[in-house]
Amino acid sequence: MSVRVARAARAWARSVSGRRGSSNWPRPPPAAVDVAALLREATAADGGSQDAKAAAGRREPGQCSVLLFPGQGSQVVGMGRGLLRYPRVRELYDAARRVLGYDLLELSLRGPQEALDRTVHCQPAVFVASLAAVEKLHHLQPAVIENCVAAAGFSVGEFAALVFAGAMEFSEGLYAVKVRAEAMQEASEAAPSGMLSVLGQRQSRFAVACLEAQEHCRTQGIESPVCEVSSYLFPDCRVISGHLEALQFLQKNSSKYHFRRTKMLPVSGGFHTSLMEPAVEPLAQVLKAIDVKKPLVSVHSNVDGNKYMHARHIQKLLLQQLVSPVKWEQTMHAIYERRKGTAFPQTFEVGPGKQLGTILKSCNLQAWRSYSHVEVLEADEDPEQPL
């Protein structure tokens, strides 16, 4: 962990704990509060937490909804353009400018793509665009929010899911994402590393491949080489992260391990592996200062696919997530497992891209048939909202 990142995180933690409620800290815009309030009102209308669970159980499964929040890699120049005419979206981006210290909306709309792709920029950009997409969904289909029974986010998307569910305030969640992105960027610069998407088959030998890639790195003079599965996407599809030398070895020897296809991902480091260990402490300092609450709807953790149980559980697993594989396939099974003949909930991917929908189709075709994507790229047609 660098002295600069650590000092910034500690200074912010002290300032928050010393001025909780101060108007100097950018407060969350009405959009974030309204969604959480809507969820609280739905719970209260059902007569409290226990009665709410019973009411959710009585609700027809096909009337329920699930929200999925994308992660890094889904960013694209122009995202957010299709959201600006909806209430309070600009307030989200105004609040983001105060938290981040730069114009995130300008970067999201006009790029350049190379700047948007940087970890320090794309993580906040995807986070804000996703919550702005929730605002659009709330405006067009408020019942989807009222009937939401579960949410999950891929990597940084998990922070957006937690803000949506009322576990964090928008501005505090965004600041945590900012520190996380800066620390991950810095950790990735310590050694040449990356992420390799691997489409395998039943006989693919992922564990053996990683071990042999590590051994190859040792022959090249790399000490403590890292090559690990960093994401479980869908059956026989993984992301492997680690030193670039290891990933290049896997690409050259893909047939030996029965890999059908490999592709380097456009990211700057070996995320969700032990290479990200230096990023843990800066994020820990910020999370200690945030008033984390139990989510108002079920949010599933990337670490094990299970629901978060309480605030300390969230703080612990968000740190563990940095150095652990994203178990997205397992999360999809946890959310959509049900008796035969039971209807599936409506699923909405809120944010740029449709990658999570594609993965859902490979994990559970029946659940995917009730999937929709909230568009964030379409041209703004409202003449009263010039760009």
Side-chain angles (χ1 to χ4, degrees), residues 77-103:
V77 171
M79 65 182 187
R81 188 180 302 276
L83 307 173
L84 294 176
R85 63 178 176 272
Y86 296 98
R88 293 180 294 274
V89 167
R90 287 180 183 270
E91 294 176 48
L92 279 170
Y93 280 101
D94 287 343
R97 175 161 43 187
R98 296 195 298 273
V99 172
L100 300 172
Y102 61 87
D103 192 341

Side-chain angles (χ1 to χ4, degrees), residues 72 114-125 177-178 180-186 188 267-269 271:
Q72 183 172 347
E114 294 78 12
L116 185 60
D117 283 343
R118 295 190 65 216
T119 297
V120 292
H121 293 144
C122 70
Q123 289 193 18
V177 168
K178 176 181 184 291
R180 177 184 188 268
E182 291 172 349
M184 290 174 70
Q185 178 76 45
E186 191 161 307
S188 69
V267 297
S268 60
F271 302 144

Side-chain angles (χ1 to χ4, degrees), residues 188-250:
S188 69
E189 292 170 355
S193 58
M195 304 180 77
L196 180 71
S197 175
V198 180
L199 179 61
Q201 47 194 326
R202 184 162 297 181
Q203 64 267 41
S204 295
R205 301 188 296 159
F206 291 100
V208 171
C210 289
L211 288 174
E212 294 188 357
Q214 291 173 24
E215 186 58 36
H216 166 75
C217 287
R218 292 188 186 95
T219 67
Q220 302 300 307
I222 299 175
E223 297 181 4
S224 303
V226 172
C227 185
E228 307 167 6
V229 172
S230 59
S231 298
Y232 295 83
L233 300 180
F234 54 85
D236 301 322
C237 186
R238 308 281 187 269
V239 175
I240 297 176
S241 299
H243 285 90
L244 279 180
E245 184 68 33
L247 304 183
Q248 291 165 357
F249 171 85
L250 293 180

Side-chain angles (χ1 to χ4, degrees), residues 91-156:
E91 294 176 48
L92 279 170
Y93 280 101
D94 287 343
R97 175 161 43 187
R98 296 195 298 273
V99 172
L100 300 172
Y102 61 87
D103 192 341
L104 182 66
L105 180 58
E106 175 69 18
L107 178 61
S108 297
L109 293 180
R110 298 185 172 86
Q113 186 70 48
E114 294 78 12
L116 185 60
D117 283 343
R118 295 190 65 216
T119 297
V120 292
H121 293 144
C122 70
Q123 289 193 18
V126 170
F127 171 90
V128 176
S130 295
L131 290 168
V134 169
E135 180 62 32
K136 174 181 177 178
L137 184 60
H138 180 198
H139 180 76
L140 296 177
Q141 300 184 62
V144 170
I145 305 301
E146 296 171 10
N147 295 327
C148 183
V149 294
F154 196 100
S155 191
V156 70

Side-chain angles (χ1 to χ4, degrees), residues 68 199 233-235 237 328-329 332-333 336 344 347 349 354-372:
L68 303 180
L199 179 61
L233 300 180
F234 54 85
C237 186
W328 193 256
E329 180 184 347
M332 295 298 95
H333 292 318
Y336 295 104
F344 285 91
T347 296
E349 184 169 354
K354 300 180 182 178
Q355 295 93 328
L356 299 184
T358 300
I359 294 172
L360 177 59
K361 185 177 183 180
S362 296
C363 287
N364 191 319
L365 181 61
Q366 292 302 314
W368 173 79
R369 296 189 193 282
S370 299
Y371 162 89
S372 300

Side-chain angles (χ1 to χ4, degrees), residues 256-278:
K256 176 182 178 181
Y257 305 112
H258 304 286
F259 295 161
R260 292 165 57 191
R261 187 167 68 246
T262 63
K263 180 182 178 181
M264 290 297 298
L265 299 181
V267 297
S268 60
F271 302 144
H272 299 290
T273 69
S274 55
L275 290 172
M276 292 296 109
E277 190 66 41

